[in-house]
């Protein structure tokens, strides 16, 4: 099985908030966002054009979507991709939904990531949905 990763056109920012912060309403209005909350913190990944008053932020991330659905019985897919990118000295920020996984890489490492993935047999395409 040859896996395909789709490059999202959006530039994303990762925001950090205190755990007791209410989710800003502008976040819920966006077509795509990722939200994670624990007792210690809340993180939001969102289109970089959306301004948020966060404690910290890490900007300029591009998203590679592992096209699926992958299913919960699929094993090692994410690990193999992460290893490929680590071997190419590309740092990642990983996210998952029920159906698929997403890997964010800094925009200035995207070309390096694409080359490394293609060299390992992955198909990398532009997102077209």
């Amino acid at each position: 099985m040859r896996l395909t990763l789709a490059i999202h056109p959006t530039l994303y920012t990762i925001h950090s908030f205190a755990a007791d912060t209410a989710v800003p309403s502008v976040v819920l209005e966006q077509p795509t966002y990722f939200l994670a909350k624990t007792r210690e913190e809340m993180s939001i990944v969102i289109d970089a054009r959306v301004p948020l008053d966060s404690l910290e932020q890490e900007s300029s991330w591009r998203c590679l979507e592992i096209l699926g659905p992958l299913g919960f019985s699929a094993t090692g897919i994410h690990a193999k991709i992460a290893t490929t990118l680590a071997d190419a000295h590309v740092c990642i920020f990983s996210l998952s939904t029920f159906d698929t996984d997403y890997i964010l890489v800094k925009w200035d490492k995207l070309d390096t990531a694409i080359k490394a993935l293609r060299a390992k047999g992955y198909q990398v395409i532009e997102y077209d949905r």
Side-chain angles (χ1 to χ4, degrees):
M1 172 173 81
R2 184 173 184 202
L3 281 178
T4 300
L5 292 94
I7 306 164
H8 287 225
T10 306
L11 193 63
Y12 290 93
T13 298
I14 304 166
H15 293 271
S16 177
F17 295 88
D20 61 351
T21 304
V23 177
S25 61
V26 67
V27 171
L28 303 176
E29 297 166 2
Q30 301 308 306
T32 302
Y33 62 88
F34 297 91
L35 173 68
K37 186 175 185 305
T38 67
R39 286 185 273 213
E40 292 81 27
E41 67 165 322
M42 179 174 66
S43 296
I44 297 174
V45 178
I46 196 163
D47 187 320
R49 297 172 292 186
V50 177
L52 297 179
D53 186 20
S54 55
L55 298 172
E56 291 184 67
Q57 54 184 272
E58 182 72 29
S59 60
S60 303
W61 293 85
R62 293 293 303 275
C63 181
L64 297 165
E65 178 181 346
I66 304 169
L67 297 182
L70 299 177
F72 289 105
S73 62
T75 59
I77 293 170
H78 193 97
K80 289 176 185 171
I81 293 170
T83 299
T84 297
L85 296 176
D87 290 345
H89 305 287
V90 175
C91 294
I92 66 170
F93 187 86
S94 300
L95 302 159
S96 294
T97 65
F98 193 89
D99 286 333
T100 195
D101 292 331
Y102 301 83
I103 297 174
L104 277 63
V105 300
K106 289 296 257 185
W107 72 272
D108 60 345
K109 292 290 192 173
L110 182 62
D111 288 341
T112 302
I114 292 168
K115 287 176 188 168
L117 291 164
R118 286 182 175 156
K120 289 289 186 175
Y122 294 97
Q123 181 178 11
V124 182
I125 62 171
E126 296 292 325
Y127 190 78
D128 65 354
R129 293 189 225 179

